[in-house]
PDB file of all heavy atoms in Angstrom:
ATOM      1  N   PRO A  66      69.729 118.286  23.512  1.00  0.00           N
ATOM      2  CA  PRO A  66      69.683 117.004  22.800  1.00  0.00           C
ATOM      3  C   PRO A  66      68.251 116.542  22.542  1.00  0.00           C
ATOM      4  O   PRO A  66      67.312 117.024  23.181  1.00  0.00           O
ATOM      5  CB  PRO A  66      70.412 116.045  23.738  1.00  0.00           C
ATOM      6  CG  PRO A  66      70.319 116.670  25.071  1.00  0.00           C
ATOM      7  CD  PRO A  66      70.228 118.145  24.868  1.00  0.00           C
ATOM      8  N   ARG A  67      68.121 115.614  21.625  1.00  0.00           N
ATOM      9  CA  ARG A  67      66.823 114.991  21.362  1.00  0.00           C
ATOM     10  C   ARG A  67      66.395 114.191  22.590  1.00  0.00           C
ATOM     11  O   ARG A  67      67.227 113.718  23.354  1.00  0.00           O
ATOM     12  CB  ARG A  67      66.919 114.031  20.170  1.00  0.00           C
ATOM     13  CG  ARG A  67      67.126 114.693  18.819  1.00  0.00           C
ATOM     14  CD  ARG A  67      67.134 113.649  17.706  1.00  0.00           C
ATOM     15  NE  ARG A  67      65.926 112.843  17.749  1.00  0.00           N
ATOM     16  CZ  ARG A  67      64.770 113.178  17.166  1.00  0.00           C
ATOM     17  NH1 ARG A  67      64.670 114.301  16.502  1.00  0.00           N
ATOM     18  NH2 ARG A  67      63.721 112.394  17.248  1.00  0.00           N
ATOM     19  N   ARG A  68      65.107 114.009  22.719  1.00  0.00           N
ATOM     20  CA  ARG A  68      64.592 113.200  23.842  1.00  0.00           C
ATOM     21  C   ARG A  68      65.055 111.751  23.741  1.00  0.00           C
ATOM     22  O   ARG A  68      65.211 111.077  24.744  1.00  0.00           O
ATOM     23  CB  ARG A  68      63.064 113.268  23.885  1.00  0.00           C
ATOM     24  CG  ARG A  68      62.537 114.625  24.328  1.00  0.00           C
ATOM     25  CD  ARG A  68      61.022 114.604  24.488  1.00  0.00           C
ATOM     26  NE  ARG A  68      60.347 114.324  23.229  1.00  0.00           N
ATOM     27  CZ  ARG A  68      59.906 115.247  22.391  1.00  0.00           C
ATOM     28  NH1 ARG A  68      60.062 116.511  22.676  1.00  0.00           N
ATOM     29  NH2 ARG A  68      59.293 114.909  21.280  1.00  0.00           N
ATOM     30  N   ASP A  69      65.278 111.275  22.521  1.00  0.00           N
ATOM     31  CA  ASP A  69      65.695 109.885  22.324  1.00  0.00           C
ATOM     32  C   ASP A  69      67.202 109.758  22.065  1.00  0.00           C
ATOM     33  O   ASP A  69      67.653 108.802  21.441  1.00  0.00           O
ATOM     34  CB  ASP A  69      64.900 109.246  21.190  1.00  0.00           C
ATOM     35  CG  ASP A  69      65.080 109.964  19.845  1.00  0.00           C
ATOM     36  OD1 ASP A  69      65.706 111.055  19.811  1.00  0.00           O
ATOM     37  OD2 ASP A  69      64.580 109.441  18.834  1.00  0.00           O
ATOM     38  N   ASP A  70      67.980 110.704  22.575  1.00  0.00           N
ATOM     39  CA  ASP A  70      69.422 110.687  22.318  1.00  0.00           C
ATOM     40  C   ASP A  70      70.088 109.419  22.840  1.00  0.00           C
ATOM     41  O   ASP A  70      71.043 108.941  22.230  1.00  0.00           O
ATOM     42  CB  ASP A  70      70.094 111.926  22.919  1.00  0.00           C
ATOM     43  CG  ASP A  70      71.546 112.049  22.499  1.00  0.00           C
ATOM     44  OD1 ASP A  70      71.790 112.119  21.271  1.00  0.00           O
ATOM     45  OD2 ASP A  70      72.420 112.048  23.373  1.00  0.00           O
ATOM     46  N   ASP A  71      69.594 108.846  23.926  1.00  0.00           N
ATOM     47  CA  ASP A  71      70.182 107.601  24.434  1.00  0.00           C
ATOM     48  C   ASP A  71      70.064 106.477  23.408  1.00  0.00           C
ATOM     49  O   ASP A  71      70.985 105.681  23.237  1.00  0.00           O
ATOM     50  CB  ASP A  71      69.556 107.199  25.768  1.00  0.00           C
ATOM     51  CG  ASP A  71      68.045 107.031  25.688  1.00  0.00           C
ATOM     52  OD1 ASP A  71      67.393 107.691  24.859  1.00  0.00           O
ATOM     53  OD2 ASP A  71      67.510 106.225  26.478  1.00  0.00           O
ATOM     54  N   LYS A  72      68.964 106.429  22.671  1.00  0.00           N
ATOM     55  CA  LYS A  72      68.792 105.422  21.616  1.00  0.00           C
ATOM     56  C   LYS A  72      69.748 105.685  20.453  1.00  0.00           C
ATOM     57  O   LYS A  72      70.282 104.758  19.852  1.00  0.00           O
ATOM     58  CB  LYS A  72      67.352 105.403  21.129  1.00  0.00           C
ATOM     59  CG  LYS A  72      66.382 104.920  22.182  1.00  0.00           C
ATOM     60  CD  LYS A  72      64.960 104.987  21.684  1.00  0.00           C
ATOM     61  CE  LYS A  72      64.007 104.585  22.801  1.00  0.00           C
ATOM     62  NZ  LYS A  72      62.622 104.768  22.446  1.00  0.00           N
ATOM     63  N   ILE A  73      69.954 106.953  20.148  1.00  0.00           N
ATOM     64  CA  ILE A  73      70.871 107.311  19.069  1.00  0.00           C
ATOM     65  C   ILE A  73      72.304 106.916  19.443  1.00  0.00           C
ATOM     66  O   ILE A  73      73.045 106.382  18.619  1.00  0.00           O
ATOM     67  CB  ILE A  73      70.757 108.805  18.738  1.00  0.00           C
ATOM     68  CG1 ILE A  73      69.387 109.068  18.104  1.00  0.00           C
ATOM     69  CG2 ILE A  73      71.870 109.263  17.817  1.00  0.00           C
ATOM     70  CD1 ILE A  73      69.019 110.509  17.955  1.00  0.00           C
ATOM     71  N   LEU A  74      72.686 107.150  20.695  1.00  0.00           N
ATOM     72  CA  LEU A  74      74.023 106.742  21.145  1.00  0.00           C
ATOM     73  C   LEU A  74      74.205 105.235  21.047  1.00  0.00           C
ATOM     74  O   LEU A  74      75.272 104.750  20.667  1.00  0.00           O
ATOM     75  CB  LEU A  74      74.272 107.214  22.573  1.00  0.00           C
ATOM     76  CG  LEU A  74      74.645 108.680  22.713  1.00  0.00           C
ATOM     77  CD1 LEU A  74      74.770 109.052  24.184  1.00  0.00           C
ATOM     78  CD2 LEU A  74      75.919 108.994  21.981  1.00  0.00           C
ATOM     79  N   THR A  75      73.170 104.480  21.386  1.00  0.00           N
ATOM     80  CA  THR A  75      73.229 103.020  21.258  1.00  0.00           C
ATOM     81  C   THR A  75      73.418 102.636  19.793  1.00  0.00           C
ATOM     82  O   THR A  75      74.245 101.782  19.466  1.00  0.00           O
ATOM     83  CB  THR A  75      71.950 102.380  21.820  1.00  0.00           C
ATOM     84  OG1 THR A  75      71.843 102.716  23.205  1.00  0.00           O
ATOM     85  CG2 THR A  75      71.966 100.874  21.655  1.00  0.00           C
ATOM     86  N   LEU A  76      72.670 103.281  18.912  1.00  0.00           N
ATOM     87  CA  LEU A  76      72.773 103.017  17.474  1.00  0.00           C
ATOM     88  C   LEU A  76      74.187 103.307  16.967  1.00  0.00           C
ATOM     89  O   LEU A  76      74.780 102.507  16.246  1.00  0.00           O
ATOM     90  CB  LEU A  76      71.751 103.895  16.754  1.00  0.00           C
ATOM     91  CG  LEU A  76      71.647 103.778  15.266  1.00  0.00           C
ATOM     92  CD1 LEU A  76      70.182 103.705  14.879  1.00  0.00           C
ATOM     93  CD2 LEU A  76      72.285 104.965  14.591  1.00  0.00           C
ATOM     94  N   ILE A  77      74.747 104.441  17.385  1.00  0.00           N
ATOM     95  CA  ILE A  77      76.103 104.809  16.970  1.00  0.00           C
ATOM     96  C   ILE A  77      77.113 103.803  17.521  1.00  0.00           C
ATOM     97  O   ILE A  77      78.049 103.404  16.834  1.00  0.00           O
ATOM     98  CB  ILE A  77      76.440 106.239  17.424  1.00  0.00           C
ATOM     99  CG1 ILE A  77      75.573 107.251  16.658  1.00  0.00           C
ATOM    100  CG2 ILE A  77      77.926 106.552  17.214  1.00  0.00           C
ATOM    101  CD1 ILE A  77      75.623 108.661  17.205  1.00  0.00           C
ATOM    102  N   GLY A  78      76.905 103.366  18.765  1.00  0.00           N
ATOM    103  CA  GLY A  78      77.816 102.419  19.397  1.00  0.00           C
ATOM    104  C   GLY A  78      77.843 101.058  18.736  1.00  0.00           C
ATOM    105  O   GLY A  78      78.795 100.289  18.918  1.00  0.00           O
ATOM    106  N   GLN A  79      76.828 100.728  17.965  1.00  0.00           N
ATOM    107  CA  GLN A  79      76.759  99.433  17.287  1.00  0.00           C
ATOM    108  C   GLN A  79      77.472  99.422  15.935  1.00  0.00           C
ATOM    109  O   GLN A  79      77.585  98.377  15.304  1.00  0.00           O
ATOM    110  CB  GLN A  79      75.297  99.035  17.096  1.00  0.00           C
ATOM    111  CG  GLN A  79      74.567  98.790  18.390  1.00  0.00           C
ATOM    112  CD  GLN A  79      73.072  98.607  18.185  1.00  0.00           C
ATOM    113  OE1 GLN A  79      72.517  98.936  17.141  1.00  0.00           O
ATOM    114  NE2 GLN A  79      72.422  98.084  19.204  1.00  0.00           N
ATOM    115  N   ILE A  80      77.941 100.560  15.500  1.00  0.00           N
ATOM    116  CA  ILE A  80      78.626 100.644  14.204  1.00  0.00           C
ATOM    117  C   ILE A  80      80.049 100.121  14.359  1.00  0.00           C
ATOM    118  O   ILE A  80      80.801 100.606  15.203  1.00  0.00           O
ATOM    119  CB  ILE A  80      78.639 102.090  13.683  1.00  0.00           C
ATOM    120  CG1 ILE A  80      77.209 102.559  13.437  1.00  0.00           C
ATOM    121  CG2 ILE A  80      79.472 102.201  12.408  1.00  0.00           C
ATOM    122  CD1 ILE A  80      77.091 104.037  13.092  1.00  0.00           C
ATOM    123  N   PRO A  81      80.426  99.116  13.570  1.00  0.00           N
ATOM    124  CA  PRO A  81      81.800  98.611  13.642  1.00  0.00           C
ATOM    125  C   PRO A  81      82.797  99.701  13.262  1.00  0.00           C
ATOM    126  O   PRO A  81      82.576 100.450  12.318  1.00  0.00           O
ATOM    127  CB  PRO A  81      81.831  97.476  12.613  1.00  0.00           C
ATOM    128  CG  PRO A  81      80.418  97.184  12.283  1.00  0.00           C
ATOM    129  CD  PRO A  81      79.629  98.413  12.574  1.00  0.00           C
ATOM    130  N   GLN A  82      83.875  99.779  14.015  1.00  0.00           N
ATOM    131  CA  GLN A  82      84.883 100.799  13.765  1.00  0.00           C
ATOM    132  C   GLN A  82      85.790 100.385  12.615  1.00  0.00           C
ATOM    133  O   GLN A  82      86.214  99.243  12.523  1.00  0.00           O
ATOM    134  CB  GLN A  82      85.715 101.030  15.017  1.00  0.00           C
ATOM    135  CG  GLN A  82      86.605 102.228  14.930  1.00  0.00           C
ATOM    136  CD  GLN A  82      87.206 102.574  16.284  1.00  0.00           C
ATOM    137  OE1 GLN A  82      87.155 101.806  17.209  1.00  0.00           O
ATOM    138  NE2 GLN A  82      87.789 103.751  16.375  1.00  0.00           N
ATOM    139  N   CYS A  83      86.068 101.339  11.754  1.00  0.00           N
ATOM    140  CA  CYS A  83      86.989 101.105  10.634  1.00  0.00           C
ATOM    141  C   CYS A  83      88.411 101.406  11.083  1.00  0.00           C
ATOM    142  O   CYS A  83      88.631 102.134  12.039  1.00  0.00           O
ATOM    143  CB  CYS A  83      86.646 102.013   9.466  1.00  0.00           C
ATOM    144  SG  CYS A  83      85.214 101.485   8.550  1.00  0.00           S
ATOM    145  N   SER A  84      89.328 100.850  10.352  1.00  0.00           N
ATOM    146  CA  SER A  84      90.722 101.167  10.649  1.00  0.00           C
ATOM    147  C   SER A  84      91.014 102.595  10.204  1.00  0.00           C
ATOM    148  O   SER A  84      90.438 103.077   9.227  1.00  0.00           O
ATOM    149  CB  SER A  84      91.649 100.185   9.939  1.00  0.00           C
ATOM    150  OG  SER A  84      91.402 100.214   8.559  1.00  0.00           O
ATOM    151  N   PRO A  85      91.884 103.297  10.926  1.00  0.00           N
ATOM    152  CA  PRO A  85      92.195 104.679  10.555  1.00  0.00           C
ATOM    153  C   PRO A  85      92.892 104.748   9.204  1.00  0.00           C
ATOM    154  O   PRO A  85      93.454 103.772   8.731  1.00  0.00           O
ATOM    155  CB  PRO A  85      93.112 105.145  11.680  1.00  0.00           C
ATOM    156  CG  PRO A  85      93.612 103.919  12.344  1.00  0.00           C
ATOM    157  CD  PRO A  85      92.621 102.835  12.079  1.00  0.00           C
ATOM    158  N   GLY A  86      92.839 105.889   8.594  1.00  0.00           N
ATOM    159  CA  GLY A  86      93.542 106.089   7.342  1.00  0.00           C
ATOM    160  C   GLY A  86      92.644 106.471   6.190  1.00  0.00           C
ATOM    161  O   GLY A  86      93.118 106.982   5.201  1.00  0.00           O
ATOM    162  N   GLY A  87      91.344 106.225   6.326  1.00  0.00           N
ATOM    163  CA  GLY A  87      90.432 106.582   5.251  1.00  0.00           C
ATOM    164  C   GLY A  87      89.956 108.015   5.386  1.00  0.00           C
ATOM    165  O   GLY A  87      90.334 108.735   6.306  1.00  0.00           O
ATOM    166  N   PRO A  88      89.095 108.433   4.461  1.00  0.00           N
ATOM    167  CA  PRO A  88      88.553 109.782   4.554  1.00  0.00           C
ATOM    168  C   PRO A  88      87.669 109.926   5.794  1.00  0.00           C
ATOM    169  O   PRO A  88      87.087 108.957   6.270  1.00  0.00           O
ATOM    170  CB  PRO A  88      87.733 109.929   3.270  1.00  0.00           C
ATOM    171  CG  PRO A  88      87.421 108.542   2.848  1.00  0.00           C
ATOM    172  CD  PRO A  88      88.562 107.690   3.324  1.00  0.00           C
ATOM    173  N   VAL A  89      87.575 111.145   6.308  1.00  0.00           N
ATOM    174  CA  VAL A  89      86.750 111.416   7.483  1.00  0.00           C
ATOM    175  C   VAL A  89      85.506 112.179   7.037  1.00  0.00           C
ATOM    176  O   VAL A  89      85.602 113.165   6.306  1.00  0.00           O
ATOM    177  CB  VAL A  89      87.534 112.231   8.535  1.00  0.00           C
ATOM    178  CG1 VAL A  89      86.647 112.594   9.700  1.00  0.00           C
ATOM    179  CG2 VAL A  89      88.751 111.454   9.000  1.00  0.00           C
ATOM    180  N   PHE A  90      84.354 111.700   7.468  1.00  0.00           N
ATOM    181  CA  PHE A  90      83.082 112.345   7.181  1.00  0.00           C
ATOM    182  C   PHE A  90      82.501 112.827   8.505  1.00  0.00           C
ATOM    183  O   PHE A  90      82.597 112.133   9.511  1.00  0.00           O
ATOM    184  CB  PHE A  90      82.101 111.361   6.539  1.00  0.00           C
ATOM    185  CG  PHE A  90      82.623 110.725   5.284  1.00  0.00           C
ATOM    186  CD1 PHE A  90      83.194 109.464   5.319  1.00  0.00           C
ATOM    187  CD2 PHE A  90      82.541 111.386   4.068  1.00  0.00           C
ATOM    188  CE1 PHE A  90      83.676 108.864   4.165  1.00  0.00           C
ATOM    189  CE2 PHE A  90      83.020 110.795   2.910  1.00  0.00           C
ATOM    190  CZ  PHE A  90      83.588 109.536   2.959  1.00  0.00           C
ATOM    191  N   THR A  91      81.885 113.999   8.499  1.00  0.00           N
ATOM    192  CA  THR A  91      81.231 114.515   9.695  1.00  0.00           C
ATOM    193  C   THR A  91      79.736 114.600   9.442  1.00  0.00           C
ATOM    194  O   THR A  91      79.292 115.288   8.526  1.00  0.00           O
ATOM    195  CB  THR A  91      81.768 115.910  10.075  1.00  0.00           C
ATOM    196  OG1 THR A  91      83.176 115.826  10.251  1.00  0.00           O
ATOM    197  CG2 THR A  91      81.134 116.397  11.363  1.00  0.00           C
ATOM    198  N   ALA A  92      78.983 113.857  10.258  1.00  0.00           N
ATOM    199  CA  ALA A  92      77.528 113.875  10.156  1.00  0.00           C
ATOM    200  C   ALA A  92      76.958 114.710  11.290  1.00  0.00           C
ATOM    201  O   ALA A  92      77.514 114.750  12.388  1.00  0.00           O
ATOM    202  CB  ALA A  92      76.977 112.448  10.230  1.00  0.00           C
ATOM    203  N   GLY A  93      75.862 115.368  11.026  1.00  0.00           N
ATOM    204  CA  GLY A  93      75.176 116.146  12.041  1.00  0.00           C
ATOM    205  C   GLY A  93      73.784 115.597  12.267  1.00  0.00           C
ATOM    206  O   GLY A  93      73.160 115.056  11.359  1.00  0.00           O
ATOM    207  N   LEU A  94      73.302 115.748  13.498  1.00  0.00           N
ATOM    208  CA  LEU A  94      71.940 115.337  13.848  1.00  0.00           C
ATOM    209  C   LEU A  94      71.188 116.551  14.380  1.00  0.00           C
ATOM    210  O   LEU A  94      71.725 117.305  15.198  1.00  0.00           O
ATOM    211  CB  LEU A  94      71.954 114.242  14.915  1.00  0.00           C
ATOM    212  CG  LEU A  94      72.603 112.929  14.506  1.00  0.00           C
ATOM    213  CD1 LEU A  94      72.741 112.014  15.702  1.00  0.00           C
ATOM    214  CD2 LEU A  94      71.797 112.265  13.421  1.00  0.00           C
ATOM    215  N   LEU A  95      69.959 116.706  13.923  1.00  0.00           N
ATOM    216  CA  LEU A  95      69.130 117.811  14.371  1.00  0.00           C
ATOM    217  C   LEU A  95      68.186 117.340  15.475  1.00  0.00           C
ATOM    218  O   LEU A  95      67.707 116.204  15.446  1.00  0.00           O
ATOM    219  CB  LEU A  95      68.313 118.382  13.219  1.00  0.00           C
ATOM    220  CG  LEU A  95      69.089 118.858  11.984  1.00  0.00           C
ATOM    221  CD1 LEU A  95      68.127 119.465  10.963  1.00  0.00           C
ATOM    222  CD2 LEU A  95      70.182 119.842  12.352  1.00  0.00           C
ATOM    223  N   ASN A  96      67.912 118.220  16.439  1.00  0.00           N
ATOM    224  CA  ASN A  96      66.950 117.879  17.482  1.00  0.00           C
ATOM    225  C   ASN A  96      65.528 118.141  16.986  1.00  0.00           C
ATOM    226  O   ASN A  96      65.321 118.484  15.807  1.00  0.00           O
ATOM    227  CB  ASN A  96      67.262 118.630  18.788  1.00  0.00           C
ATOM    228  CG  ASN A  96      67.176 120.131  18.638  1.00  0.00           C
ATOM    229  OD1 ASN A  96      66.621 120.656  17.682  1.00  0.00           O
ATOM    230  ND2 ASN A  96      67.755 120.837  19.599  1.00  0.00           N
ATOM    231  N   GLU A  97      64.556 118.017  17.864  1.00  0.00           N
ATOM    232  CA  GLU A  97      63.146 118.141  17.474  1.00  0.00           C
ATOM    233  C   GLU A  97      62.780 119.531  16.967  1.00  0.00           C
ATOM    234  O   GLU A  97      61.797 119.680  16.238  1.00  0.00           O
ATOM    235  CB  GLU A  97      62.230 117.787  18.660  1.00  0.00           C
ATOM    236  CG  GLU A  97      62.219 116.320  19.007  1.00  0.00           C
ATOM    237  CD  GLU A  97      63.283 115.932  20.030  1.00  0.00           C
ATOM    238  OE1 GLU A  97      64.157 116.764  20.368  1.00  0.00           O
ATOM    239  OE2 GLU A  97      63.261 114.787  20.489  1.00  0.00           O
ATOM    240  N   VAL A  98      63.536 120.553  17.336  1.00  0.00           N
ATOM    241  CA  VAL A  98      63.228 121.912  16.860  1.00  0.00           C
ATOM    242  C   VAL A  98      64.119 122.343  15.692  1.00  0.00           C
ATOM    243  O   VAL A  98      64.107 123.496  15.292  1.00  0.00           O
ATOM    244  CB  VAL A  98      63.291 122.946  18.016  1.00  0.00           C
ATOM    245  CG1 VAL A  98      62.215 122.668  19.043  1.00  0.00           C
ATOM    246  CG2 VAL A  98      64.658 122.990  18.650  1.00  0.00           C
ATOM    247  N   GLY A  99      64.905 121.404  15.151  1.00  0.00           N
ATOM    248  CA  GLY A  99      65.696 121.680  13.959  1.00  0.00           C
ATOM    249  C   GLY A  99      67.062 122.268  14.195  1.00  0.00           C
ATOM    250  O   GLY A  99      67.687 122.764  13.261  1.00  0.00           O
ATOM    251  N   LEU A 100      67.553 122.210  15.443  1.00  0.00           N
ATOM    252  CA  LEU A 100      68.896 122.707  15.735  1.00  0.00           C
ATOM    253  C   LEU A 100      69.899 121.569  15.720  1.00  0.00           C
ATOM    254  O   LEU A 100      69.610 120.465  16.194  1.00  0.00           O
ATOM    255  CB  LEU A 100      68.920 123.376  17.118  1.00  0.00           C
ATOM    256  CG  LEU A 100      68.027 124.598  17.295  1.00  0.00           C
ATOM    257  CD1 LEU A 100      68.025 125.034  18.749  1.00  0.00           C
ATOM    258  CD2 LEU A 100      68.468 125.721  16.384  1.00  0.00           C
ATOM    259  N   LEU A 101      71.073 121.835  15.204  1.00  0.00           N
ATOM    260  CA  LEU A 101      72.151 120.865  15.209  1.00  0.00           C
ATOM    261  C   LEU A 101      72.568 120.633  16.663  1.00  0.00           C
ATOM    262  O   LEU A 101      72.966 121.568  17.352  1.00  0.00           O
ATOM    263  CB  LEU A 101      73.335 121.375  14.401  1.00  0.00           C
ATOM    264  CG  LEU A 101      74.535 120.443  14.309  1.00  0.00           C
ATOM    265  CD1 LEU A 101      74.219 119.266  13.411  1.00  0.00           C
ATOM    266  CD2 LEU A 101      75.746 121.194  13.809  1.00  0.00           C
ATOM    267  N   TYR A 102      72.446 119.388  17.145  1.00  0.00           N
ATOM    268  CA  TYR A 102      72.765 119.116  18.547  1.00  0.00           C
ATOM    269  C   TYR A 102      73.865 118.074  18.737  1.00  0.00           C
ATOM    270  O   TYR A 102      74.459 117.989  19.810  1.00  0.00           O
ATOM    271  CB  TYR A 102      71.507 118.687  19.319  1.00  0.00           C
ATOM    272  CG  TYR A 102      71.234 117.217  19.252  1.00  0.00           C
ATOM    273  CD1 TYR A 102      71.707 116.363  20.245  1.00  0.00           C
ATOM    274  CD2 TYR A 102      70.540 116.663  18.194  1.00  0.00           C
ATOM    275  CE1 TYR A 102      71.486 115.003  20.178  1.00  0.00           C
ATOM    276  CE2 TYR A 102      70.309 115.312  18.124  1.00  0.00           C
ATOM    277  CZ  TYR A 102      70.784 114.484  19.125  1.00  0.00           C
ATOM    278  OH  TYR A 102      70.572 113.135  19.045  1.00  0.00           O
ATOM    279  N   ARG A 103      74.122 117.235  17.745  1.00  0.00           N
ATOM    280  CA  ARG A 103      75.137 116.194  17.875  1.00  0.00           C
ATOM    281  C   ARG A 103      75.898 116.076  16.568  1.00  0.00           C
ATOM    282  O   ARG A 103      75.333 116.200  15.485  1.00  0.00           O
ATOM    283  CB  ARG A 103      74.508 114.843  18.236  1.00  0.00           C
ATOM    284  CG  ARG A 103      75.535 113.707  18.319  1.00  0.00           C
ATOM    285  CD  ARG A 103      74.945 112.415  18.841  1.00  0.00           C
ATOM    286  NE  ARG A 103      74.581 112.493  20.229  1.00  0.00           N
ATOM    287  CZ  ARG A 103      75.433 112.482  21.261  1.00  0.00           C
ATOM    288  NH1 ARG A 103      76.722 112.419  21.044  1.00  0.00           N
ATOM    289  NH2 ARG A 103      74.997 112.535  22.497  1.00  0.00           N
ATOM    290  N   GLU A 104      77.204 115.830  16.703  1.00  0.00           N
ATOM    291  CA  GLU A 104      78.049 115.577  15.537  1.00  0.00           C
ATOM    292  C   GLU A 104      78.702 114.210  15.691  1.00  0.00           C
ATOM    293  O   GLU A 104      78.976 113.774  16.815  1.00  0.00           O
ATOM    294  CB  GLU A 104      79.103 116.671  15.399  1.00  0.00           C
ATOM    295  CG  GLU A 104      78.475 118.033  15.130  1.00  0.00           C
ATOM    296  CD  GLU A 104      79.491 119.146  15.053  1.00  0.00           C
ATOM    297  OE1 GLU A 104      80.332 119.268  15.960  1.00  0.00           O
ATOM    298  OE2 GLU A 104      79.414 119.900  14.067  1.00  0.00           O
TER     299      GLU A 104
END
């Protein structure tokens, strides 16, 4: 994981949840060396 992953988790946790039923999007996050580490 990134060194600042705890901050990223806080950022994600602040996003209001939508009601189910809409389209699903999958985002990826790269770590400092360019590897996909979080979805």
Side-chain angles (χ1 to χ4, degrees):
R67 290 183 55 86
R68 289 186 297 267
D69 60 352
D70 188 59
D71 57 331
K72 293 177 184 173
I73 292 169
L74 281 176
T75 299
L76 181 135
I77 292 169
Q79 295 171 344
I80 297 172
Q82 191 169 13
C83 284
S84 57
V89 176
F90 303 98
T91 303
L94 297 171
L95 304 183
N96 62 16
E97 289 90 351
V98 295
L100 298 173
L101 181 72
Y102 87 93
R103 177 173 291 285
E104 296 177 310

